[in-house]
Amino acid sequence: MSSFTKSGNTMSLSQIQHWLPLLTDNSPFLFAILDTDHNYVTVNNRYCEISGLSREALCGRSDTDILGAHFYSSLKAYYDRALSGEKIEAEITLDDHRFDTSLHFSLFPIEQDDNTYIVFHAVDTSERQQLLNSLKESENKYHKLTELLNDSVLLIEGDIIVSANTASAKMLGFNKASEFVGENIEQLLASANKTQSLSETIIELASEQSLIVRTTVNCGTRAELILTVEKTHILGSPAHLVILKEHKKQTKNENQIAVSQVDLLTGIYNRHGFTHVIEKMIKEDIPFFMLYLDIDNFKNINDSLGHHIGDRVLKEISTRLQKLLPKHAIVGHLGGDEFGILFPKPEHNQILDQLSEKIISLINQPFDLVQLVVFNTLPMALMRAAYYKMLTPQCMKQKIAAVIV
């Protein structure tokens, strides 16, 4: 059986409780000492970050209270083995049928005053896998969204086409997109600008601008197309969404969301799409209310739990809002921890107050993500656009810009 020593003498439990936090509080790993009932005797600051509780409040509690019943049931047998004198180092997968979390941990027993305790040390090794899964999920969502569009959508990095939807294959005269993915975009399209390459033109093209291009002899059809661009990133590297339309007047489907207006993480409007809807309602003289949501302490969630957990919180918030709000309400992820909600043609002023209370209550419920219960608070800045008819268009735009720009 092991024990802590200091200058050749056995370190007392009170000394261990004093030194363990000092030595481990800045660590991203979990450190704890548990008693024979598997309750916490002392823990490091990582437990405090996860639970939102003080160290003193955590003492006497268990994994079931803080990390969830599934977490505890997965480790209980190992705790019992350590209390029997065994030193353990292992890695397990915590599969709760929603997420797979890999946990590398070590356990060893110590004797103090004829009592046995166990020292627990663990690190979540699943963040890389979570990031890969999140990336794959985003890619799948992107492909599903682009396949719903009638417009041709190409994703290019530098001058190479890395992804394309089925509509683009048809527009360029190919049987399937895989026939030209990986090719240089200049092999398929050409512009009238002879002073710079098409890829250079795409980089310089602003989102509100368009460019007339023609298909080359490498395509199965000859056509004149309208090209527009939206800047994006692939794993942190600059990339561009290239959208192609036939160079003729087309009837726009008002219910169809352009891919450039979709937030790929949540599947709802991004800042560009949300602003576009506002401008459209102002132009069409439609009265509306707007809510602006800013998630409190979201940076702390990203810093302490990882961006893969932060992304799941954002997706969960989006899902909750869409389930709660009326079908005609419009929800947008404006970036970071910001969301916007539009209520066109409100029946009365009180509807905003009623929904605000429901939204705050809903968002403030804990988020149970990957065995970690995340507590959140939502300060909400409300901007009542009132009945837009009472304001000039310029005044209305200035009020909205103050909130979402």
Side-chain angles (χ1 to χ4, degrees):
M1 198 73 74
S2 300
S3 63
F4 281 99
T5 60
K6 183 182 180 183
S7 301
N9 299 319
T10 301
M11 185 181 292
S12 68
L13 183 62
S14 61
Q15 289 175 315
I16 295 173
Q17 289 174 309
H18 170 75
W19 282 104
L20 186 137
L22 293 178
L23 295 172
T24 66
D25 267 0
N26 292 325
S27 171
F29 306 151
L30 293 169
F31 286 90
I33 295 178
L34 288 73
D35 61 21
T36 54
D37 293 323
H38 306 170
N39 293 325
Y40 304 141
V41 176
T42 188
V43 297
N44 72 335
N45 192 55
R46 190 75 174 97
Y47 283 86
C48 302
E49 292 175 346
I50 290 171
S51 64
L53 300 175
S54 67
R55 199 187 322 275
E56 292 74 17
L58 286 167
C59 291
R61 300 205 178 191
S62 67
D63 289 342
T64 302
D65 302 324
I66 306 305
L67 299 172
H70 187 77
F71 185 98
Y72 174 65
S73 65
S74 299
L75 289 172
K76 181 180 183 298
Y78 294 98
Y79 291 161
D80 290 334
R81 286 167 54 186
L83 287 169
S84 299
E86 188 177 348
K87 295 180 180 180
I88 301 168
E89 183 170 355
E91 184 160 336
I92 60 173
T93 298
L94 305 175
D95 181 8
D96 69 349
H97 307 296
R98 295 174 298 164
F99 312 108
D100 288 345
T101 300
S102 298
L103 192 74
H104 186 91
F105 68 94
S106 63
L107 287 163
F108 62 90
I110 58 172
E111 287 279 357
Q112 290 291 322
D113 302 325
D114 298 325
N115 293 315
T116 302
Y117 302 91
I118 50 176
V119 178
F120 174 68
H121 165 226
V123 55
D124 183 352
T125 57
S126 62
E127 181 170 354
R128 181 174 179 274
Q129 187 59 45
Q130 292 285 351
L131 290 172
L132 290 173
N133 290 342
S134 179
L135 176 62
K136 185 177 180 181
E137 184 179 344
S138 296
E139 288 177 346
N140 289 337
K141 187 175 290 185
Y142 165 79
H143 287 302
K144 288 179 181 178
L145 284 170
T146 57
E147 288 302 317
L148 294 174
L149 300 176
N150 293 325
D151 294 335
S152 167
V153 181
L154 308 176
L155 180 61
I156 65 170
E157 187 174 10
D159 53 10
I160 302 301
I161 301 170
V162 297
S163 177
N165 65 346
T166 301
S168 64
K170 182 179 179 181
M171 186 173 289
L172 298 174
F174 292 90
N175 293 320
K176 51 187 178 181
S178 59
E179 294 178 7
F180 59 89
V181 168
E183 296 292 336
N184 189 313
I185 192 170
E186 295 181 28
Q187 296 295 316
L188 305 179
L189 299 172
S191 71
N193 189 342
K194 303 300 182 182
T195 61
Q196 63 180 177
S197 67
L198 178 60
S199 56
E200 291 174 333
T201 304
I202 288 174
I203 292 172
E204 296 177 2
L205 200 65
S207 58
E208 67 273 9
Q209 294 179 317
S210 62
L211 176 71
I212 304 298
V213 296
R214 289 182 175 86
T215 57
T216 69
V217 294
N218 297 317
C219 296
T221 183
R222 302 304 298 271
E224 192 173 73
L225 306 172
I226 299 175
L227 181 150
T228 55
V229 174
E230 286 294 334
K231 293 179 173 61
T232 185
H233 289 84
I234 300 176
L235 296 177
S237 300
H240 295 83
L241 281 173
V242 173
I243 302 169
L244 300 172
K245 297 182 180 181
E246 294 183 17
H247 190 203
K248 63 180 182 180
K249 291 186 177 180
Q250 296 180 332
T251 302
K252 183 179 178 181
N253 183 355
E254 297 295 338
N255 296 320
Q256 181 178 322
I257 304 175
V259 68
S260 63
Q261 298 178 1
V262 174
D263 177 58
L264 296 181
L265 175 66
T266 61
I268 59 178
Y269 280 105
N270 58 19
R271 181 183 291 268
H272 171 66
F274 192 79
T275 305
H276 178 75
V277 173
I278 291 175
E279 292 174 346
K280 183 174 181 295
M281 286 195 291
I282 292 175
K283 184 178 180 180
E284 296 179 5
D285 207 31
I286 298 174
F288 64 94
F289 281 141
M290 188 179 91
L291 289 179
Y292 170 78
L293 283 61
D294 179 73
I295 311 303
D296 196 15
N297 291 327
F298 183 74
K299 184 178 184 298
N300 292 338
I301 294 175
N302 274 339
D303 292 344
S304 63
L305 301 182
H307 287 275
H308 65 293
I309 297 296
D311 286 348
R312 294 196 179 279
V313 170
L314 292 175
K315 287 192 282 188
E316 177 65 18
I317 289 173
S318 170
T319 299
R320 291 185 185 185
L321 288 174
Q322 291 178 85
K323 288 181 179 179
L324 172 69
L325 297 171
K327 290 184 178 181
H328 68 279
I330 297 162
V331 185
H333 179 211
L334 308 183
D337 58 356
E338 300 173 330
F339 288 79
I341 303 171
L342 297 174
F343 297 94
K345 301 178 181 179
E347 296 178 1
H348 51 78
N349 293 353
Q350 288 72 31
I351 189 172
L352 197 62
D353 295 326
Q354 296 168 1
L355 281 170
S356 298
E357 293 177 3
K358 291 180 180 179
I359 291 171
I360 292 173
S361 175
L362 184 70
I363 302 301
N364 282 342
Q365 294 177 15
F367 295 79
D368 186 6
L369 301 171
V370 195
Q371 289 81 44
L372 304 181
V373 180
V374 179
F375 294 87
N376 208 26
T377 55
L378 175 67
M380 183 181 296
L382 305 183
M383 190 204 82
R384 297 190 180 186
Y387 279 87
Y388 150 66
K389 295 176 184 178
M390 299 169 60
L391 303 171
T392 65
Q394 186 60 34
C395 179
M396 187 64 224
K397 287 181 180 179
Q398 290 171 355
K399 285 181 175 290
I400 292 171
V403 175
I404 67 171
V405 175

